[in-house]
Amino acid sequence: MLGLLASMVLRFYDGIKYHLGNPHQEGLSTEEINEAFMIVNLVGGSIVIPHYRTQ
């Protein structure tokens, strides 16, 4: 999840795709993923919202 969050803040599209591979297979729930996206929005600001919309 840290790799995904860092990729979103840095707007590293290939990293986002890589780290989003299939988080459910890694044991993450939808709630955990949404919470991570909310945190990255706080850290990265509104620039990360488009990444959140496409996932």
Side-chain angles (χ1 to χ4, degrees):
M1 286 307 296
L2 291 175
L4 173 62
L5 302 180
S7 295
M8 289 179 74
V9 170
L10 297 172
R11 297 182 303 264
F12 178 50
Y13 300 104
D14 290 335
I16 294 168
K17 286 182 182 180
Y18 174 79
H19 290 294
L20 268 179
N22 198 346
H24 294 289
Q25 285 183 349
E26 298 295 326
L28 297 171
S29 69
T30 301
E31 289 177 359
E32 290 172 317
I33 296 166
N34 282 331
E35 182 179 356
F37 284 164
M38 286 186 269
I39 292 169
V40 82
N41 191 31
L42 287 172
V43 173
S46 61
I47 193 68
V48 299
I49 292 173
H51 303 304
Y52 184 69
R53 289 182 184 170
T54 60
Q55 306 315 320

